[in-house]
Amino acid sequence: MLEFGTVSLEWGTLLFQVIIFLLLLALVNKYATGPIANVLEKRRQYVANEISTAERNRQEAEALLAEQRRLLDEARAESKAIIDRATKQASDEAAKIVSEAQAATERMKASASAELAREIEKAKAELRGELTSISVLLASKIIEKELDAEEQKNTVDKFLTQVGDRL
């Protein structure tokens, strides 16, 4: 038995506590420290892999950027050469191209106008059809009976003449 002032320790208790402590230390080392170290190592490898991948991607991007710049410079030089040749031959061809473009534009405008008019008429017809079915449904609900086909057509025609150009 050891005594330190008012505190006293028994050798058996002290030895038991040291054994328990060492046992707990071994268990923590086996079940906590090892797996944590493995997780940290995997994380370190993952981060290192991501960094190397990012570096590789950056180098590839720089190479692609240099290639694109080179191609852009070549395209600029080629376009300048084409423009120079075109300006030498362009005086007669320019007038022809402009007149053809104007004619094509006029044809496209006329075609677009006609198509737009057809679409408007189609939309009006669809709207009239929907309005007809809704009107018939509403009227049949109101008078609690269904109309036969002839009565329906007459009712619709009468309604459409009243509505007329409001659509």
Side-chain angles (χ1 to χ4, degrees), residues 117-133:
R118 284 192 298 272
E119 289 297 322
I120 289 172
E121 287 304 317
K122 182 179 174 183
K124 283 183 179 180
E126 287 176 4
L127 186 58
R128 284 186 184 117
E130 287 180 27
L131 187 57
T132 299
S133 62

Side-chain angles (χ1 to χ4, degrees), residues 1-165:
M1 178 170 198
L2 291 175
E3 289 196 33
F4 299 102
T6 58
V7 176
S8 64
L9 296 173
E10 289 192 28
W11 284 106
T13 305
L14 182 61
L15 184 60
F16 180 72
Q17 288 177 349
V18 168
I19 291 171
I20 293 296
F21 176 75
L22 292 175
L23 181 65
L24 287 174
L25 188 62
L27 289 173
V28 165
N29 192 29
K30 180 177 181 180
Y31 292 110
T33 307
I36 289 173
N38 288 339
V39 168
L40 290 176
E41 178 60 24
K42 286 179 184 176
R43 179 68 180 163
R44 186 197 63 76
Q45 289 174 356
Y46 173 76
V47 169
N49 185 29
E50 289 297 314
I51 289 172
S52 67
T53 301
E55 180 64 26
R56 197 170 40 250
N57 288 342
R58 184 188 63 78
Q59 290 172 352
E60 288 174 6
E62 287 176 355
L64 287 174
L65 180 62
E67 178 67 16
Q68 287 177 350
R69 286 182 179 161
R70 184 186 63 77
L71 290 173
L72 182 60
D73 290 341
E74 288 176 6
R76 284 181 181 155
E78 186 177 333
S79 67
K80 186 176 182 332
I82 290 171
I83 290 172
D84 289 343
R85 279 184 302 213
T87 54
K88 292 176 184 175
Q89 301 171 353
S91 60
D92 293 335
E93 293 178 23
K96 179 182 175 185
I97 291 172
V98 168
S99 66
E100 288 175 359
Q102 286 175 343
T105 302
E106 292 301 320
R107 285 192 304 270
M108 288 190 317
K109 282 182 183 178
S111 173
S113 281
E115 180 67 23
L116 182 60
R118 284 192 298 272
E119 289 297 322
I120 289 172
E121 287 304 317
K122 182 179 174 183
K124 283 183 179 180
E126 287 176 4
L127 186 58
R128 284 186 184 117
E130 287 180 27
L131 187 57
T132 299
S133 62
I134 290 172
S135 298
V136 170
L137 180 64
L138 181 61
S140 66
K141 292 258 186 217
I142 290 173
I143 60 176
E144 294 292 323
K145 72 171 191 171
E146 289 292 324
L147 299 174
D148 65 7
E150 186 60 34
E151 288 176 342
Q152 181 179 354
K153 183 181 182 319
N154 290 337
T155 304
V156 169
D157 289 341
K158 185 176 179 182
F159 178 75
L160 287 177
T161 56
Q162 289 175 354
V163 172
D165 290 328

